[in-house]
Amino acid sequence: MVPHRLLREQTRDAHDAAEAAPVMRHLLDGTLSRAGYAGLLAAQWVLFRDFERDHAQWLADTVARHGWTWRSRADLLARDVAELGGTLPTEAAVSSRHVVDESASWGMLYVIEGSALGGQLIVRGLRQRFPDAAHRFYGVGDDQGSSWRCFQQILDDVLAEEPAQARAIRGARHMFARFQTTFQDRISHA
Ligand code: HEM
């Protein structure tokens, strides 16, 4: 099986669980309040701030060399939160890991870039519900169609070997788990 299909197969359950998270259901069915939406974005800002700090060099060098341009989600999230009148958490960053396993990092990036596909559905509802806001974060996948196929091709190139695929799957599952933790922390604020 080609690596990008393997990643999808091996993380399908994690994706279904992420989609089923209560805060995601509220987001999708239009019952998340403006404050709840801002809070969800602020919580995800922490995740992306840490991811981007830990992977700054890798994103700027390796990922760019493979022809993929990283768009800072932390920047988009910070601007969305400010526009919605929310505040960013002040909690300090916890980890300061260097990228030691590039395959795992590709797996993490797969989860992030893939989530923009679901974002295309989510942003349609958000634009109707909160028409005054720009929805930069959930709108990041607006023009993702052809570029997603490019990203899948990159995954197939960099994860050609079986051990790399196994590490990428672990990285992807780890990233899904980080999202789940972020979502769980939001339930009481929905
Ligand atoms: C309400 C929430 C969500 C919905 C409705 C949703 C829906 C979707 C849809 C429609 C696709 C595209 C399937 C395709 O065209 O082949 C997709 C793909 C994907 N989504 Fe989600 N999603 C949601 C949440 C998430 C979250 C929170 C994450 C990450 C933490 C995520 C990660 C992914 C990934 C990695 C893919 C690519 C799957 C592949 O390899 O084809 N999704 N999602």
Side-chain angles (χ1 to χ4, degrees), residues 8 15 19 24 28 110-111 114-115 117-118 148 176 179 183:
R8 182 192 299 164
H15 182 273
E19 201 176 329
M24 284 290 111
L28 207 57
Y110 158 76
V111 175
S115 70
L117 299 174
W148 175 243
F176 269 115
F179 270 97
F183 294 157

Side-chain angles (χ1 to χ4, degrees), residues 33-44 81 84 86-87 89 182 186 189:
S33 67
R34 190 181 183 93
Y37 175 38
L40 172 65
L41 295 175
Q44 291 184 90
V81 169
L84 290 161
T87 50
T182 304
R186 299 310 313 162
H189 306 283

Side-chain angles (χ1 to χ4, degrees), residues 31-124:
T31 55
L32 195 64
S33 67
R34 190 181 183 93
Y37 175 38
L40 172 65
L41 295 175
Q44 291 184 90
W45 174 82
V46 175
L47 187 160
F48 281 101
R49 175 202 60 185
D50 294 351
F51 174 80
E52 291 179 13
R53 188 213 44 227
D54 289 351
H55 295 82
Q57 197 79 38
W58 179 75
L59 289 167
D61 295 347
T62 308
V63 172
R65 197 172 65 246
H66 281 92
W68 188 254
T69 305
W70 168 253
R71 280 177 287 180
S72 169
R73 306 306 203 276
D75 287 352
L76 301 180
L77 285 161
R79 291 164 70 194
D80 280 346
V81 169
E83 185 181 61
L84 290 161
T87 50
L88 294 177
T90 51
E91 67 190 76
V94 282
S95 75
S96 59
R97 178 181 88 80
H98 297 291
V99 174
V100 289
D101 185 341
E102 296 212 350
S103 301
S105 298
W106 281 110
M108 292 182 200
L109 193 58
Y110 158 76
V111 175
I112 292 168
E113 298 295 1
S115 70
L117 299 174
Q120 290 171 338
L121 290 179
I122 292 168
V123 79
R124 267 182 240 149

